Every structure is written in structure tokens, then in C-alpha cells.
Amino acid sequence: MPAYRPQEIEKKWQAHWQQHHTFRADNNSDKPKYYVLDMFPYPSGAGLHVGHPLGYIASDIVSRYQRLQGRNVLHPMGFDSFGLPAEQYAIQTGQHPAVTTEKNIETYIRQLQQLGFSYDWEREVRTSDPSYYKWTQWIFLKLFNSWYNLDTNQAEPISALVAKFAESGSAGIRAAGEDEERHDFSAGQWQMMSEKQKLAAILPYRLAYQQDTFVNWCAALGTVLSNDEVKDGLSERGGYPVERRLMPQWNLRITAYADRLLKGLDTLDWPDAVKEMQRNWIGKSIGAEVTFPVQGHDSLGVKVYTTRVDTIYGATFLVLAPEHELVDTITTPEQRTAVDEYIAATKRRSERDRMADVKTVSGVFTGAYAANPVDGTPVPIWLADYVLAGYGTGAVMAVPSGDQRDYLFAKHFDLPIPAISDAQQDLDKQADPTKEGRYINSGIVNGLGYKEATATLITFLEEKGLGKGKVNFRLRDAIFGRQRYWGEPIPIYYKDGTAYGVAEADLPLVLPEIDEYKPTETGEPPLGRAKDWKYKGQYEFELSTMPGWAGSSWYYLRYMDPHNADRFVGEDVEKYWGQVDLYMGGAEHATGHLLYSRFWYLFLKDLGLVTANEPFQKLINQGMILGRSNFVYRLNTTWSTSKTDGSPITYSSPSGIKHPTIFVTKSLYEALSEALDEGSEAANSRVEKGIRQIEAALDSKHPGYESKVASYSLGLADSFTPLHVDVSYTDNDVLDIAAFKNWREEYADAEFILEENGSYVCGTEVEKMSKSKYNVVNPDVLIDKYGADALRLYEMFLGPLEQYKPWNTNGISGVATFLKKFWRLFHPEDGALAVTDEAASPAELKTLHRVIQKVAQDIEKFSFNTSVSTFMIAVNELTALGTHKRAILEPLVILLSPFAPHLAEELWQELGHEDSISFAAYPEFREEYLVEANVTYPVAINGKVREQRQFAATATAAEIEAAILESDFLTRFAEGKTPKKVVVVPGRMVNVVV
């Protein structure tokens, strides 16, 4: 097979790797380990497009390179296979989600394998496999049976808490969570409690607990949605209305780990942007918690958290979240209708929408007043949707002179904006949050500076019992329940209304079969349809399932030991692999998966089940490959039809005449859509001519009728409508008109006004690759045409890994040509193998060792695009040198193997090697081969270069000076002047001063 046929070669080596388990990782190796991980995909029905493999290709290059460096590499793949899309499809079709998921996974595996990734497929995991989610449920039970001890700063078993209760009651126990949710009791009172009372007392301490929580409820989908799944008050999937609703939910107490999650970021080699997103999401702040007593309600107070207690005298109103627990109690009868209407409107907006909308000012007065705790001044209590119940206390001390959002609110509702500092400026235009100057209009802190005022006010509030200094976090506990079917069952059952954990020996709690995958007629989650599904035959199970992020929060650990039936990961195996050395995935997971994974890992660390400090040491966010969309340009027309004999017609489509849609080619669209250039008149004429021809053709098809384009306009912005066209129907932006007309029924009779050469040229735009934009490129098509190695190289060649890059299928042919040239170094003119054992020349060795050095540096820096360029330059140089020598080509094949593994394996075998090239060693770099024998020096007189001269690279400055003075250089250029000195900059230049 002398000619390079990538499709044959690639199928051969993919089968070889699979048969021989080439990439199997060893849990008991003496080699140093290297763990490379891709964020595993959700297997959608659409399969992969060319944007998806970008990170996979990069991580595979690193994996193959690390093997060449003698490391034991773990590079696994699996599937995040629970999720809402499969469930929605099941609701529509009645097909079990497991069937759909299995089919989609088969497609993904086929596509991933044909790209030549060096995955250890024996370690594949699927989050929907009961043998996997058994351990997800097991970790949940560990959370359920743990509490967070603030004295030891770690999670501990509930049994340790119970022992403290039995010994000394609740006194002195410092646990993560809200103290207000717990009640005090003595050891004697504990002993007197019933089992149910004890469990109720323990519940507010658990790391997995139930609580009434405000959630995004989508009635049409019958489930709670995360903020990420809601946009503009509608579900991202389906566009159904979503409202905020108070519901009993399972939560995980991630807030217990807030400070550790924050500090741990400093130890990670992650992109700064991702770390900053997590820091902001965790949101540590130092301030004070203050209570404003509600007038007319002796026992009620509005609790606020503020980082600017120094501004409390400037608090002219309070703002509560519409969901705040006090709203119903304090709202006056006069304001009840307005308040109820505002709350109803707020329910239709997600938290994310409310946080993001900084332009709209809305609110409603409750009719109630609180007393400012420092001076008793009445403070009106308002509601506004920019305050969220789930953040802080759900109430804001509004100081309009110091906060712009409060300022806009006060201006909108004509509320007072008093100055509180002599340094504040322009309060008639905007808020001024300065901490400079001295306080005015501020009672006991008048004349003080920021630090003195803050300390004075906190002391005053603590003495009065109306406040205290406090560290706060923006991070909220994670809502864990979903009212869906296709997810991990939560291993909880209920006895007399109290939650109990399923015994670990009874795991996994497997999803039961049900008749439909939608909520019951009484509003219960889909699991409410399960018949006779009870624990021990008598206790009702929890009907919610876990969220999608549950299984993905620990999957990297299961890859280490996926077939262990007795432990979620073997103890020695976990110690060997430790943490992930390189994690590749999208930045969009910064405040979701990446944060939850760190939380679960820290929890498992507290239990002594893992050994590192963080799960992922290095993270790289690959950039997005943007699609190159194509557009056709529809001329916006109105048709009319009449009978040629003049008799009237009263119906719009006589004798089945179908008026065609007219599309205008790109050059005419550009000339006419704005009517700004000089060519628009000629273009107008061409379009007019094209319209007449289309009319004539239609008339010839329908004798007795005459059809005319009754109205259209050229030279106006709305003359044309650009429409996306499937890029598979274009080649170098030229439309395949026949394929286009067969694409959709409404285009079957389309007519086209073409370029002068008779083609229809489409417009282009670079935008996100998406099915809705018809710019998705299927890798299967490109692999069939060019081969997987060409696709791998091209994706790397597009640009720096972490940047966004536009896709252009036209460019892949250049990479395919490079691979053919590489092949011909071994097979000149596509003939027989022609590798010789001749000694390599200095020029050939220089080219080789430049590649050895550059590729290693590039891979270590994850700069893969420059490696591809280096290969191309090297092949051109070696082709010009007529190189066919083993001493050069054999190490060159090893260097290329991480990038184009199929081609490299084939050539490696042809060179006489029996083992896979994966077991080869990375070539040794020798710097002496890059040292130049001679150096060319610019030689100047008084700084002006006169000529170039070569000297030996080893020549000293004295030797160079002597050679210049002994030559005819001065005779030719010094005009008889005597040199004062000769300056030699080694390796750079010579300057003669005269």
C-alpha cells in the first residue's frame, strides 16, 4: 500500500488498539503516574460536531506525549448519562430514557474511537449505571450522616454529635448552619426525647438536610430547574413559564466549606478567570448583622447583613425580597393588593434574571415601618425583586447616598437621600460610596473616620443586642432534589413523616419502572407512579431524584477503580493516582460542576477517604470553535396573477400556480441591500432582468395566466432577508442549488438570480456552532474525506487552544496535503518504502533537533498550533534535502505520533517495530546540533552598516577585530581615516569607530 490512504490505515490501527488494549492504565505500575481527564459529555442525540473534539484532541496529545516520556497515563472516558433531555424525549415518545441514552452513547463511542483517542475504554463509567450510582447514593448517605464541626473545621459523623448531645446537650456546640433553625436543650432533655424528636433536633445539623427552599418551579416540565436552566422567566428547554416557589427540598450544606473552597483556589493552577468566578460566587465579606425592629410588631425584626455598618444613619428605607418570610405578616391591608400583584410578577422571573437586570427599577411599599436601631428613626419597608431571599438575610439596609442601586430606587420612588459624609460629592447626580472624610448626620459617629465609626457602631449594636460583627458568604447551600424520573434516586425513606437513610447494604436503590415519565395527576414527581415501591415493603421512598451534577462530582475517582464492587475506589489505588494532573473542559462549569466537585472532594477528605487536597491540580479551558455560517438572500416580493384574456380571478393560487421564492446571490445583495456603492445601478439592472426571466418561465409553465412580481424594492435595508442555509449544501460558499431545493418543501420551486459565472455564492458569518444556525459540521464527513489525523491536526492548527477560533472546512485540505508530504519522506512518489541507514547530515540533524526541542516545549505549554507549524516547516526542509534516512525519520515519526497517531503507527510498523509507537521513548534533544558553525556579522562604520561578513561561531572578539583590521574593509569604506576603536558584540555585530 505505497499510497497514503488514511481511511484504511486508521481503521486498522483503531482495531489494533482495541484488540491489544494498548492504552490500558496500570494501577500497580512502578512508573510515575499522570492522570489526564476530559469533562465527560452528556450523550445527546445529535452526536459530536467538529467543535466538540477540540479539548479531547488536546488532552490526547498530552496523554500520548506523557507515555513517550515514560509515565503511566490514565486517560479515561465516560458519560454523564442522566439528564432532562432524555426524560423529555421519553415523555414525548413513551420510550424509556435508558434506551435513548444507550443509543446516543453508541454514537458517541463510535465517533470518539474513530478520532483515534487513546482512552482506556475498560474504565468507561456511566452515571446512569446502577453499579456507578450505588456509590453516588453512598456518598449522599455519608453527607446525610455527617455534620460540620466548626471547632475542628471539618465534617464529622452524626454519631459524634449525638454523643455530645448525650453528654452535655446542645451547649457549646459550634456547627455550620443557621443557629436560628436549632433549639437548645440539656443532656437530660435529650435523653427524654423520642426517636422522632431526636431526629428532628439533628436535622438542622446534617450536611444533607431538608428545608423549605425557594426554587425555580416549572409546572409544564413538572420539576425544579437550576438557575442555568432558566432564561427570561422561561425554561431553557421548551420555553415554558417558570416561577419562584417555596417547596420542601433536599439541600447540601456547601456553605460549611465556603472558606476552605476560597482558600484552596490559591493552590490551584487554574485560569485566573475561573478562579475569580469562584471567588465572586463564594463572595466572602466582613461586616455586621443588624436587626431593625418592626414597628407595631413587638416580637419581629428585619435582620440585614451589611458590609457598611458605618452608613447605618443614612438608611432611609429597607428592601425585602418579595419571598421574605415577614412580608405576609407586616403588609398593611391598604397595600395588600399591590404587594400580592408584585409578588406574582416576581415569581415569573428567575434569580439570575433578577440579578442581571440592573436597568429596571421596580418595587412596592408594604405599608410597614421599622425602627433604625441606632436612633429609632422610622424606616419604611419596601419590596424589590433585586433582593433575593436565598442571599444573605433576604433584606437590604438601603443607603441611597452610598449605593447606586439604592440611589436609583430612592430617586424612582422619591425617597430621601441624606449625605452621611463630608467627602460625598454630586449626590444630586449619583451615589458616592466613599470611605474618606468624616461622618455627618450620623449621631454617635459624627466626626469619626471609617474605621473608628465601624468599630463604634458594632460595639453599640452588640451592647444593645441588635447586631454583631459577622463574616458572611454569598454562597448558598446547593438545592439537591429534582422532581424528575431520569436521575439517581435519593436513598431516603420516611417513617412517620421522618426521613431515614437507606442502609448501605441495600444500595443501589434502583430506579423503578413506571408507566409514564411525567408527574402524577396529583402533582407528585414521576416516581410517584411506581407501584409497590417501598422500603422493606412498608416505608415510602423519597420521590425526588438527584440533580445532574451529583454523578459528575466524583466520577474522576471512579475512573481510578471502576470495577471495584466493595469500595467507591480502592484505598491503595486512590493513593497511587492521587489527584487529576490535567483537567480539560469548559469555563462555563466554573460555579457549577467545578465548585461542587471540590466540595465533595473536601468532604471525602474529611472522612479520610481521599489523600490529596484538591481534585484537579491543573485546569485548562479550551476555547470554542465557532461555526462558519452560510446565508442565502431572499428577495422580499409580492406576486400577482391574472388571466391573459382579462377575465377576473378571485383566488390567490389559480390552477395550482405556486409563486417561487427568489434568492439573490451575494454580490447583488451586497450591491443593493444598502444601495451605497457605484455598482448598485448595474446590479439593479441584473436583478430586474432576472425577475423578468423568472416571470417568463412561470408563464410558460401555466398557459393562459400571467404572473408578475407585483412589488419589491431595491436599495432598502428590508429589501432582502438573509436566511441560514445548511453548510453541507455549500462548497467554498457556492450553493448546491439542487440540494438546497430538496432540503425543504418551501424551497422546492425556488428561483435564483446568479453571479455572472452562473453560480450562487452564499454570504458568510462566524458565530456559535449550532444546529439552529445550520453551521454544524459533522466530523464523520471530514474523516471519511480527509482522515482523522488530518482533522486532529487541523483543529490544533486553527489557533491557540484557549482562544475562540472560527471554523472553515476549506482549510483542512492544506493539513491533508502536509500528511501526504510526510508520507512521501518514507515513500517517494508514493512508491515502496525507501528509508535508508545512511548517516544524517548536519542540516538534517539541525532540522530534527529543532523539532524535538520545539514540540516538547509546545506540549508542555499546551501550544499545539505552533507544533503543527513546526512539523510543516520541518517536512518542507527535509523534502528539499531529499531526506529518506532512518536516523532522521524514525525519531520524527515518534514526535508526530501524539498529533497524527494512525499515520505514525503505520510508519513505525513499516520501520520494523512490532510494539505500538506508544511504547517508544521521546527522542533525546541534543543542543550541539543546533549550534551554527559560522555566524554572519553586520560590519558598520560609525554605526552605519556597510557589509556582512562570516566568522567562525567560536571566534573571539579579538580575533574578529584583527581580521577586520587586516582586511580591505577600511580601505574601501573608511575614506583614509584611522580607526579609533573596534566594538565587537559577540554573535551580533561589529562597529568600527573612525
Side-chain angles (χ1 to χ4, degrees):
M1 187 189 68
Y4 175 49
R5 299 186 180 91
Q7 292 77 7
E8 294 179 30
I9 290 173
E10 289 169 4
K11 286 183 172 63
K12 168 186 171 180
W13 286 104
Q14 288 160 16
H16 176 92
W17 295 331
Q18 191 170 358
Q19 179 183 351
H20 292 85
H21 308 287
T22 303
F23 309 115
R24 177 186 285 162
D26 186 355
N27 285 346
N28 300 293
S29 176
D30 294 330
K31 296 179 180 180
K33 68 91 181 181
Y34 196 87
Y35 187 174
V36 184
L37 182 65
D38 297 306
M39 289 186 185
F40 64 171
Y42 173 79
S44 69
L48 297 175
H49 62 62
V50 293
H52 292 132
L54 180 69
Y56 301 159
I57 296 168
S59 65
D60 194 59
I61 290 171
V62 174
S63 299
R64 290 176 177 274
Y65 169 77
Q66 292 294 343
R67 289 190 189 93
L68 297 175
Q69 294 288 351
R71 293 183 175 88
N72 180 30
V73 176
L74 174 55
H75 188 207
M77 177 49 72
F79 299 95
D80 192 9
S81 48
F82 274 131
L84 185 57
E87 179 156 337
Q88 286 303 109
Y89 188 75
I91 292 172
Q92 295 164 12
T93 65
Q95 187 177 66
H96 197 289
V99 176
T100 308
T101 301
E102 177 65 30
K103 181 179 178 182
N104 294 346
I105 287 175
E106 288 176 4
T107 299
Y108 267 69
I109 290 176
R110 176 186 60 77
Q111 290 185 305
L112 292 169
Q113 287 181 340
Q114 72 178 8
L115 278 160
F117 296 135
S118 59
Y119 293 130
D120 182 353
W121 283 106
E122 295 175 76
R123 294 174 182 261
E124 179 198 342
V125 300
R126 303 178 184 186
T127 57
S128 58
D129 185 333
S131 67
Y132 178 87
Y133 70 69
K134 165 187 177 178
W135 298 106
T136 310
Q137 293 172 334
W138 179 83
I139 295 171
F140 173 84
L141 289 175
K142 293 295 184 186
L143 287 159
F144 179 69
N145 290 314
S146 298
W147 66 296
Y148 199 91
N149 188 339
L150 293 176
D151 290 328
T152 61
N153 199 29
Q154 67 178 35
E156 296 178 1
I158 286 291
S159 57
L161 179 67
V162 170
K164 290 177 182 288
F165 287 164
E167 181 180 346
S168 55
S170 60
I173 292 177
R174 297 178 61 248
E178 296 296 330
D179 292 335
E180 291 83 353
E181 298 171 11
R182 302 161 182 156
H183 61 275
D184 299 328
F185 49 85
S186 65
Q189 289 172 319
W190 171 259
Q191 298 295 346
M192 296 295 291
M193 289 183 189
S194 65
E195 179 186 15
K196 186 171 184 176
Q197 289 171 326
K198 287 180 176 180
L199 290 174
I202 291 170
L203 181 63
Y205 292 85
R206 295 184 187 273
L207 290 182
Y209 64 95
Q210 277 182 310
Q211 187 181 61
D212 284 348
T213 306
F214 280 99
V215 296
N216 299 316
W217 173 251
C218 179
L221 295 177
T223 187
V224 168
L225 300 175
S226 69
N227 284 330
D228 289 338
E229 295 170 319
V230 182
K231 184 174 178 59
D232 298 328
L234 301 175
S235 63
E236 187 176 49
R237 186 169 186 84
Y240 301 112
V242 176
E243 68 175 54
R244 298 287 292 165
R245 181 181 291 187
L246 191 64
M247 296 177 64
Q249 285 291 321
W250 282 97
N251 294 263
L252 298 188
R253 207 178 297 278
I254 188 175
T255 50
Y257 289 85
D259 207 43
R260 287 167 65 183
L261 289 167
L262 194 61
K263 291 176 180 176
L265 290 170
D266 295 333
T267 69
L268 299 177
D269 184 6
W270 285 18
D272 289 339
V274 173
K275 292 199 284 188
E276 193 60 24
M277 280 190 277
Q278 287 205 0
R279 288 190 183 102
N280 292 336
W281 193 257
I282 295 167
K284 183 177 182 179
S285 59
I286 300 173
E289 195 171 74
V290 183
T291 300
F292 285 68
V294 179
Q295 294 182 349
H297 298 271
D298 294 340
S299 61
L300 296 182
V302 176
K303 187 179 293 183
V304 302
Y305 175 81
T306 176
T307 58
R308 294 294 306 274
V309 70
D310 57 297
T311 66
I312 193 168
Y313 282 96
T316 57
F317 58 100
L318 296 179
V319 185
L320 308 186
E323 307 92 344
H324 196 285
E325 60 185 6
L326 292 181
V327 173
D328 189 57
T329 303
I330 66 174
T331 298
T332 62
E334 295 81 6
Q335 291 298 112
R336 175 66 62 184
T337 299
V339 166
D340 287 347
E341 289 175 353
Y342 188 77
I343 291 174
T346 301
K347 286 181 177 181
R348 295 190 288 271
R349 304 186 73 202
S350 72
E351 284 190 353
R352 176 158 299 196
D353 291 338
R354 288 162 58 180
M355 291 168 64
D357 185 2
V358 295
K359 297 180 180 179
T360 305
V361 177
S362 71
V364 64
F365 180 42
T366 65
Y369 289 82
N372 192 314
V374 292
D375 62 5
T377 303
V379 180
I381 303 174
W382 287 69
L383 306 186
D385 65 2
Y386 73 84
V387 181
L388 306 176
Y391 292 90
T393 63
V396 169
M397 177 187 87
V399 182
S401 70
D403 180 273
Q404 186 62 20
R405 197 154 198 174
D406 296 343
Y407 180 91
L408 295 173
F409 193 93
K411 280 286 188 182
H412 187 79
F413 291 106
D414 197 24
L415 299 168
I417 308 175
I420 51 172
S421 167
D422 60 13
Q424 287 179 315
Q425 299 179 3
D426 300 325
L427 291 183
D428 58 328
K429 299 176 183 176
Q430 62 188 7
D432 184 353
T434 182
K435 295 179 181 178
E436 304 299 325
R438 300 286 169 175
Y439 289 92
I440 59 175
N441 303 321
S442 296
I444 63 174
V445 295
N446 273 335
L448 299 182
Y450 167 70
K451 290 185 178 179
E452 296 169 291
T454 299
T456 299
L457 286 165
I458 289 176
T459 300
F460 175 84
L461 291 166
E462 288 178 344
E463 288 175 352
K464 297 293 185 181
L466 291 170
K468 60 181 179 180
K470 186 178 181 181
V471 175
N472 200 39
F473 294 91
R474 180 176 177 272
L475 183 68
R476 297 294 91 193
D477 284 341
I479 298 173
F480 198 66
R482 297 291 186 270
Q483 287 63 51
R484 303 174 184 163
Y485 172 76
W486 193 232
E488 300 93 332
I490 295 177
I492 292 292
Y493 68 94
Y494 295 90
K495 183 169 66 173
D496 298 328
T498 298
Y500 290 78
V502 170
E504 291 181 7
D506 293 329
L507 298 179
L509 174 58
V510 179
L511 275 174
E513 295 292 329
I514 57 177
D515 57 349
E516 288 186 273
Y517 304 102
K518 58 185 181 181
T520 67
E521 288 72 15
T522 56
E524 292 178 316
L527 286 179
R529 296 178 175 277
K531 295 180 180 179
D532 302 321
W533 192 54
K534 295 183 178 181
Y535 189 56
K536 306 293 186 183
Q538 56 181 322
Y539 302 117
E540 299 290 340
F541 280 118
E542 169 63 49
L543 299 182
S544 295
T545 53
M546 298 186 193
W549 55 264
S552 64
S553 292
W554 73 281
Y555 74 113
Y556 53 91
L557 293 168
R558 190 60 177 172
Y559 279 141
M560 299 177 184
D561 200 10
H563 307 298
N564 192 329
D566 302 319
R567 208 172 188 273
F568 76 114
V569 58
E571 193 170 358
D572 292 339
V573 173
E574 189 280 328
K575 286 179 181 176
Y576 174 71
W577 290 111
Q579 61 186 165
V580 175
D581 297 285
L582 172 64
Y583 198 18
M584 192 80 68
E588 67 272 16
H589 300 289
T591 56
H593 159 67
L594 288 169
L595 192 63
Y596 296 139
S597 296
R598 295 182 61 218
F599 160 44
W600 279 41
Y601 193 88
L602 291 176
F603 169 68
L604 294 171
K605 174 81 171 178
D606 288 349
L607 270 55
L609 297 171
V610 293
T611 53
N613 292 320
E614 289 277 347
F616 319 119
Q617 180 54 36
K618 183 172 184 63
L619 172 72
I620 292 181
N621 301 134
Q622 77 275 12
M624 183 184 295
I625 288 183
L626 301 173
R628 191 170 187 271
S629 300
N630 280 132
F631 295 87
V632 290
Y633 301 104
R634 184 181 67 201
L635 177 63
N636 295 325
T637 60
T638 302
W639 284 83
S640 67
T641 296
S642 61
K643 289 186 178 182
T644 54
D645 61 7
S647 58
I649 56 173
T650 57
Y651 43 92
S652 61
S653 185
S655 300
I657 296 176
K658 187 171 184 181
H659 299 135
T661 303
I662 300 175
F663 293 97
V664 175
T665 191
K666 177 185 175 183
S667 64
L668 297 175
Y669 165 75
E670 290 177 341
L672 294 171
S673 60
E674 299 293 341
L676 295 178
D677 61 22
E678 296 178 357
S680 60
E681 186 174 341
N684 196 339
S685 176
R686 283 177 54 200
V687 173
E688 294 278 4
K689 180 179 178 182
I691 291 173
R692 301 289 86 81
Q693 290 173 341
I694 292 168
E695 291 171 342
L698 189 62
D699 290 345
S700 66
K701 287 174 60 178
H702 301 279
Y705 294 93
E706 183 178 56
S707 295
K708 295 286 184 185
V709 175
S711 66
Y712 64 95
S713 58
L714 299 176
L716 299 174
D718 59 354
S719 301
F720 304 92
T721 300
L723 300 172
H724 282 92
V725 61
D726 195 316
V727 294
S728 65
Y729 301 144
T730 66
D731 185 6
N732 281 327
D733 303 328
V734 175
L735 182 67
D736 182 337
I737 292 176
F740 177 78
K741 295 175 77 169
N742 286 327
W743 180 31
R744 289 184 172 184
E745 184 179 351
E746 63 265 34
Y747 298 151
D749 297 306
E751 294 287 351
F752 300 84
I753 301 177
L754 307 172
E755 301 284 345
E756 296 281 11
N757 64 3
S759 67
Y760 185 96
V761 178
C762 297
T764 62
E765 186 175 326
V766 174
E767 53 190 349
K768 182 179 179 180
M769 196 170 281
S770 165
K771 287 189 296 182
S772 65
K773 301 179 189 301
Y774 305 107
N775 61 359
V776 170
V777 179
N778 189 329
D780 297 0
V781 175
L782 297 180
I783 290 171
D784 287 344
K785 187 173 183 179
Y786 299 103
D789 284 342
L791 179 58
R792 288 168 62 108
L793 278 168
Y794 182 57
E795 294 218 6
M796 293 298 97
F797 188 54
L798 284 172
L801 177 65
E802 294 163 273
Q803 292 183 7
Y804 280 36
K805 297 168 282 291
W807 178 266
N808 185 352
T809 299
N810 303 331
I812 195 173
S813 59
V815 175
T817 299
F818 155 73
L819 291 174
K820 290 176 183 177
K821 290 183 71 173
F822 192 96
W823 174 267
R824 286 170 184 157
L825 291 174
F826 298 77
H827 297 270
E829 303 299 324
D830 285 340
L833 185 70
V835 177
T836 72
D837 291 323
E838 293 179 60
S841 69
E844 291 170 326
L845 288 168
K846 179 181 177 181
T847 294
L848 172 65
H849 283 267
R850 192 165 56 231
V851 179
I852 293 173
Q853 180 188 46
K854 187 70 168 67
V855 169
Q857 291 173 345
D858 286 348
I859 294 179
E860 297 285 354
K861 295 186 301 182
F862 308 97
S863 181
F864 307 110
N865 59 312
T866 51
S867 286
V868 179
S869 299
T870 298
F871 283 126
M872 291 177 172
I873 292 168
V875 167
N876 286 338
E877 291 176 354
L878 294 175
T879 300
L881 291 169
T883 301
H884 304 297
K885 299 169 184 175
R886 179 183 293 273
I888 301 298
L889 299 185
E890 189 164 273
L892 193 64
V893 170
I894 297 173
L895 297 173
L896 185 67
S897 64
F899 296 82
H902 308 90
L903 173 60
E905 288 278 24
E906 183 69 16
L907 294 173
W908 188 248
Q909 184 185 66
E910 288 192 348
L911 289 170
H913 299 280
E914 294 184 3
D915 284 339
S916 166
I917 200 170
S918 300
F919 305 126
Y922 192 84
E924 179 186 0
F925 169 64
R926 295 176 60 181
E927 190 168 5
E928 62 264 29
Y929 290 125
L930 300 188
V931 176
E932 298 284 352
N934 296 306
V935 178
T936 300
Y937 283 81
V939 184
I941 288 182
N942 293 341
K944 185 174 182 179
V945 176
R946 297 293 187 174
E947 67 179 15
Q948 309 282 333
R949 288 201 170 204
Q950 277 200 349
F951 296 97
T954 56
T956 65
E959 291 171 339
I960 293 172
E961 178 180 348
I964 291 292
L965 294 176
E966 292 171 4
S967 72
D968 63 350
F969 178 78
L970 293 174
T971 303
R972 289 185 292 118
F973 298 110
E975 299 176 351
K977 296 178 182 177
T978 303
K980 295 179 179 179
K981 63 178 178 178
V982 178
V983 179
V984 179
V985 181
R988 301 290 299 278
M989 73 170 295
V990 179
N991 184 38
V992 181
V993 181
V994 297

